[in-house]
Amino acid sequence: LYNIEICTEVALPEHVEACLKRNIKVVWIGTRTTANPFSVQELANAMQSTDMKVLVKNPICPEIPLWVGAIERFYNSGIETIIAIHRGFSVPYRSKYRYPPLWELTKCMKKYLPDIPVILDPSHISGNHILIEDIINQSKKYGYDGFMIEVHNHPELALTDSRQQLTTSEFHKILKDLSAVKSPE
């Protein structure tokens, strides 16, 4: 009806097998998995010769070569559609954000891999639904290719990350605001 692809996180080769059995063709690699080259290689091997699409979140630490290395492992295993997800980084200082965006690292990432689309995860960066719109507005000057935003009909009932999820009405407002922005000519 809506032609929406199901996407889920995988951390083990068994997860990839389960996705393939259920015809799930889009997966993401979580930030902690991205930080482990051995785990990433096992996942890349499990996806070899498939038509899966892979979204790779940045590692929790602000280390661009680790993120690039994870993406290259999937590329080298024959995955054709790879998208990077910027979800913020763990830092040793207090911030109003759960995982500060460290915008300069995204610019660096785009220099390493200019042909890889990069989407922004303002939900994880902010850690608080009240800050999501602010993060999106800040991101506009960095040329992201899209957003990964957590939405729930009743965030207070969500099993995880309830504080960072938008209600559907909050999400619709953000979509309306985004559609009102004219793209640069």
Short mmCIF file of all heavy atoms in Angstrom, two decimals, residues 116-151:
data_model
loop_
_atom_site.label_atom_id
_atom_site.label_comp_id
_atom_site.label_asym_id
_atom_site.label_seq_id
_atom_site.Cartn_x
_atom_site.Cartn_y
_atom_site.Cartn_z
N ILE A 116 29.14 8.77 -1.16
CA ILE A 116 28.26 8.06 -0.23
C ILE A 116 27.25 9.07 0.35
O ILE A 116 27.66 10.07 0.93
CB ILE A 116 29.07 7.42 0.92
CG1 ILE A 116 30.04 6.37 0.38
CG2 ILE A 116 28.16 6.83 1.99
CD1 ILE A 116 29.39 5.10 -0.11
N PRO A 117 25.95 8.80 0.20
CA PRO A 117 24.98 9.68 0.83
C PRO A 117 25.13 9.64 2.35
O PRO A 117 25.46 8.59 2.92
CB PRO A 117 23.62 9.09 0.43
CG PRO A 117 23.90 8.13 -0.68
CD PRO A 117 25.33 7.70 -0.54
N VAL A 118 24.89 10.78 3.00
CA VAL A 118 24.96 10.86 4.46
C VAL A 118 23.63 11.41 4.95
O VAL A 118 23.18 12.47 4.51
CB VAL A 118 26.11 11.78 4.93
CG1 VAL A 118 26.17 11.82 6.46
CG2 VAL A 118 27.44 11.33 4.36
N ILE A 119 22.99 10.65 5.85
CA ILE A 119 21.75 11.13 6.45
C ILE A 119 22.01 11.42 7.93
O ILE A 119 22.96 10.91 8.52
CB ILE A 119 20.58 10.15 6.26
CG1 ILE A 119 20.83 8.80 6.92
CG2 ILE A 119 20.27 9.98 4.77
CD1 ILE A 119 19.64 7.86 6.85
N LEU A 120 21.17 12.25 8.49
CA LEU A 120 21.34 12.71 9.87
C LEU A 120 20.31 12.04 10.77
O LEU A 120 19.14 11.92 10.40
CB LEU A 120 21.18 14.22 9.93
CG LEU A 120 21.40 14.88 11.28
CD1 LEU A 120 22.89 14.86 11.63
CD2 LEU A 120 20.88 16.30 11.29
N ASP A 121 20.74 11.63 11.95
CA ASP A 121 19.87 11.05 12.96
C ASP A 121 19.76 12.05 14.12
O ASP A 121 20.46 11.94 15.12
CB ASP A 121 20.45 9.72 13.43
CG ASP A 121 19.66 9.04 14.52
OD1 ASP A 121 18.74 9.67 15.10
OD2 ASP A 121 19.96 7.88 14.83
N PRO A 122 18.88 13.07 13.99
CA PRO A 122 18.77 14.08 15.04
C PRO A 122 18.17 13.54 16.33
O PRO A 122 18.37 14.13 17.39
CB PRO A 122 17.87 15.16 14.41
CG PRO A 122 17.05 14.42 13.42
CD PRO A 122 17.95 13.33 12.88
N SER A 123 17.49 12.41 16.26
CA SER A 123 16.91 11.81 17.46
C SER A 123 18.00 11.38 18.42
O SER A 123 17.95 11.69 19.62
CB SER A 123 16.04 10.61 17.09
OG SER A 123 15.00 10.99 16.22
N HIS A 124 19.01 10.65 17.91
CA HIS A 124 20.09 10.19 18.78
C HIS A 124 21.02 11.34 19.18
O HIS A 124 21.53 11.36 20.30
CB HIS A 124 20.89 9.06 18.12
CG HIS A 124 20.27 7.73 18.36
ND1 HIS A 124 19.33 7.19 17.51
CD2 HIS A 124 20.44 6.84 19.36
CE1 HIS A 124 18.95 6.02 17.99
NE2 HIS A 124 19.61 5.78 19.12
N ILE A 125 21.26 12.26 18.27
CA ILE A 125 22.10 13.40 18.61
C ILE A 125 21.50 14.16 19.77
O ILE A 125 22.18 14.44 20.76
CB ILE A 125 22.31 14.33 17.39
CG1 ILE A 125 23.22 13.65 16.36
CG2 ILE A 125 22.89 15.68 17.82
CD1 ILE A 125 23.33 14.39 15.05
N SER A 126 20.22 14.47 19.67
CA SER A 126 19.59 15.31 20.69
C SER A 126 19.33 14.56 21.98
O SER A 126 19.53 15.12 23.07
CB SER A 126 18.26 15.86 20.16
OG SER A 126 17.32 14.82 20.02
N GLY A 127 18.83 13.34 21.87
CA GLY A 127 18.44 12.60 23.07
C GLY A 127 17.18 13.16 23.71
O GLY A 127 16.74 12.69 24.75
N ASN A 128 16.59 14.18 23.06
CA ASN A 128 15.42 14.85 23.61
C ASN A 128 14.60 15.42 22.45
O ASN A 128 15.11 16.24 21.68
CB ASN A 128 15.86 15.97 24.55
CG ASN A 128 14.71 16.62 25.27
OD1 ASN A 128 13.59 16.67 24.77
ND2 ASN A 128 14.99 17.15 26.44
N HIS A 129 13.37 15.01 22.34
CA HIS A 129 12.52 15.43 21.21
C HIS A 129 12.42 16.95 21.08
O HIS A 129 12.25 17.47 19.98
CB HIS A 129 11.13 14.80 21.32
CG HIS A 129 10.31 15.33 22.46
ND1 HIS A 129 9.36 16.29 22.29
CD2 HIS A 129 10.33 15.04 23.78
CE1 HIS A 129 8.81 16.57 23.46
NE2 HIS A 129 9.39 15.82 24.38
N ILE A 130 12.58 17.66 22.17
CA ILE A 130 12.48 19.13 22.14
C ILE A 130 13.60 19.75 21.30
O ILE A 130 13.43 20.81 20.72
CB ILE A 130 12.49 19.70 23.58
CG1 ILE A 130 11.23 19.25 24.31
CG2 ILE A 130 12.63 21.21 23.60
CD1 ILE A 130 11.25 19.51 25.80
N LEU A 131 14.74 19.07 21.20
CA LEU A 131 15.91 19.62 20.50
C LEU A 131 16.03 19.17 19.04
O LEU A 131 16.92 19.64 18.33
CB LEU A 131 17.19 19.21 21.25
CG LEU A 131 17.28 19.69 22.70
CD1 LEU A 131 18.48 19.07 23.39
CD2 LEU A 131 17.33 21.20 22.77
N ILE A 132 15.18 18.28 18.60
CA ILE A 132 15.31 17.71 17.25
C ILE A 132 15.20 18.77 16.16
O ILE A 132 16.02 18.81 15.23
CB ILE A 132 14.31 16.56 17.03
CG1 ILE A 132 14.72 15.37 17.90
CG2 ILE A 132 14.22 16.17 15.56
CD1 ILE A 132 13.75 14.21 17.89
N GLU A 133 14.23 19.63 16.25
CA GLU A 133 14.06 20.67 15.23
C GLU A 133 15.28 21.58 15.17
O GLU A 133 15.73 21.97 14.08
CB GLU A 133 12.78 21.47 15.49
CG GLU A 133 12.40 22.35 14.33
CD GLU A 133 11.00 22.93 14.46
OE1 GLU A 133 10.37 22.80 15.53
OE2 GLU A 133 10.55 23.52 13.48
N ASP A 134 15.86 21.91 16.32
CA ASP A 134 17.07 22.73 16.37
C ASP A 134 18.23 22.04 15.64
O ASP A 134 18.93 22.66 14.84
CB ASP A 134 17.45 23.01 17.83
CG ASP A 134 18.75 23.76 17.96
OD1 ASP A 134 18.91 24.82 17.32
OD2 ASP A 134 19.63 23.29 18.71
N ILE A 135 18.39 20.75 15.88
CA ILE A 135 19.46 19.99 15.21
C ILE A 135 19.24 20.01 13.69
O ILE A 135 20.17 20.21 12.91
CB ILE A 135 19.49 18.53 15.72
CG1 ILE A 135 19.95 18.47 17.17
CG2 ILE A 135 20.36 17.64 14.84
CD1 ILE A 135 21.41 18.76 17.36
N ILE A 136 18.00 19.78 13.26
CA ILE A 136 17.69 19.79 11.82
C ILE A 136 18.02 21.15 11.22
O ILE A 136 18.63 21.23 10.15
CB ILE A 136 16.22 19.39 11.58
CG1 ILE A 136 16.04 17.91 11.90
CG2 ILE A 136 15.80 19.71 10.15
CD1 ILE A 136 14.59 17.44 11.90
N ASN A 137 17.64 22.22 11.91
CA ASN A 137 17.94 23.55 11.39
C ASN A 137 19.44 23.80 11.29
O ASN A 137 19.91 24.39 10.32
CB ASN A 137 17.26 24.62 12.25
CG ASN A 137 15.76 24.65 12.03
OD1 ASN A 137 15.26 24.30 10.96
ND2 ASN A 137 15.02 25.03 13.06
N GLN A 138 20.20 23.36 12.29
CA GLN A 138 21.66 23.52 12.24
C GLN A 138 22.26 22.72 11.08
O GLN A 138 23.24 23.12 10.47
CB GLN A 138 22.29 23.03 13.54
CG GLN A 138 22.08 23.91 14.73
CD GLN A 138 22.77 23.33 15.94
OE1 GLN A 138 23.97 23.06 15.90
NE2 GLN A 138 22.03 23.11 17.02
N SER A 139 21.67 21.59 10.79
CA SER A 139 22.23 20.67 9.78
C SER A 139 22.08 21.17 8.35
O SER A 139 22.78 20.68 7.46
CB SER A 139 21.59 19.29 9.91
OG SER A 139 20.28 19.28 9.35
N LYS A 140 21.21 22.10 8.11
CA LYS A 140 20.89 22.51 6.74
C LYS A 140 22.11 22.99 5.96
O LYS A 140 22.18 22.81 4.76
CB LYS A 140 19.79 23.57 6.74
CG LYS A 140 18.44 22.99 7.14
CD LYS A 140 17.37 24.05 7.24
CE LYS A 140 16.07 23.42 7.72
NZ LYS A 140 15.05 24.44 8.01
N LYS A 141 23.07 23.56 6.64
CA LYS A 141 24.25 24.08 5.92
C LYS A 141 25.29 23.00 5.62
O LYS A 141 26.31 23.30 5.02
CB LYS A 141 24.88 25.24 6.70
CG LYS A 141 25.33 24.91 8.09
CD LYS A 141 25.83 26.16 8.79
CE LYS A 141 25.96 25.90 10.27
NZ LYS A 141 26.18 27.11 11.02
N TYR A 142 25.02 21.76 6.01
CA TYR A 142 25.99 20.69 5.80
C TYR A 142 25.60 19.73 4.68
O TYR A 142 26.31 18.76 4.42
CB TYR A 142 26.25 19.93 7.10
CG TYR A 142 26.87 20.82 8.14
CD1 TYR A 142 26.10 21.41 9.13
CD2 TYR A 142 28.23 21.11 8.10
CE1 TYR A 142 26.67 22.25 10.07
CE2 TYR A 142 28.81 21.96 9.03
CZ TYR A 142 28.02 22.53 10.01
OH TYR A 142 28.58 23.37 10.93
N GLY A 143 24.48 19.95 4.04
CA GLY A 143 24.11 19.18 2.86
C GLY A 143 23.78 17.72 3.08
O GLY A 143 24.19 16.87 2.28
N TYR A 144 23.05 17.41 4.13
CA TYR A 144 22.65 16.02 4.36
C TYR A 144 21.66 15.57 3.29
O TYR A 144 20.92 16.37 2.73
CB TYR A 144 22.05 15.86 5.76
CG TYR A 144 23.10 15.91 6.83
CD1 TYR A 144 23.41 17.10 7.47
CD2 TYR A 144 23.82 14.78 7.18
CE1 TYR A 144 24.40 17.15 8.43
CE2 TYR A 144 24.81 14.83 8.14
CZ TYR A 144 25.09 16.02 8.76
OH TYR A 144 26.08 16.07 9.70
N ASP A 145 21.67 14.28 3.04
CA ASP A 145 20.81 13.70 2.01
C ASP A 145 19.47 13.23 2.56
O ASP A 145 18.62 12.77 1.80
CB ASP A 145 21.54 12.53 1.35
CG ASP A 145 22.81 12.99 0.65
OD1 ASP A 145 22.70 13.71 -0.35
OD2 ASP A 145 23.91 12.66 1.14
N GLY A 146 19.27 13.33 3.86
CA GLY A 146 18.01 12.92 4.47
C GLY A 146 18.14 12.84 5.97
O GLY A 146 19.19 13.19 6.54
N PHE A 147 17.08 12.36 6.59
CA PHE A 147 17.02 12.27 8.05
C PHE A 147 16.48 10.91 8.47
O PHE A 147 15.65 10.32 7.78
CB PHE A 147 16.12 13.37 8.63
CG PHE A 147 16.57 14.76 8.29
CD1 PHE A 147 15.98 15.45 7.25
CD2 PHE A 147 17.58 15.36 9.00
CE1 PHE A 147 16.40 16.73 6.91
CE2 PHE A 147 18.01 16.65 8.68
CZ PHE A 147 17.41 17.33 7.62
N MET A 148 16.93 10.45 9.61
CA MET A 148 16.40 9.25 10.26
C MET A 148 15.86 9.74 11.60
O MET A 148 16.64 10.06 12.50
CB MET A 148 17.52 8.22 10.45
CG MET A 148 17.11 6.96 11.12
SD MET A 148 18.57 5.88 11.31
CE MET A 148 17.79 4.30 11.29
N ILE A 149 14.54 9.83 11.71
CA ILE A 149 13.92 10.44 12.88
C ILE A 149 12.99 9.43 13.55
O ILE A 149 12.18 8.78 12.89
CB ILE A 149 13.11 11.70 12.47
CG1 ILE A 149 14.02 12.71 11.78
CG2 ILE A 149 12.41 12.31 13.68
CD1 ILE A 149 13.29 13.89 11.17
N GLU A 150 13.11 9.32 14.86
CA GLU A 150 12.26 8.40 15.61
C GLU A 150 10.92 9.06 15.91
O GLU A 150 10.86 10.17 16.42
CB GLU A 150 12.95 7.99 16.91
CG GLU A 150 14.18 7.14 16.66
CD GLU A 150 14.74 6.55 17.94
OE1 GLU A 150 13.98 6.30 18.89
OE2 GLU A 150 15.96 6.36 17.96
N VAL A 151 9.84 8.32 15.57
CA VAL A 151 8.48 8.81 15.76
C VAL A 151 7.66 7.70 16.41
O VAL A 151 7.82 6.53 16.07
CB VAL A 151 7.84 9.20 14.40
CG1 VAL A 151 6.42 9.73 14.59
CG2 VAL A 151 8.70 10.21 13.65
#
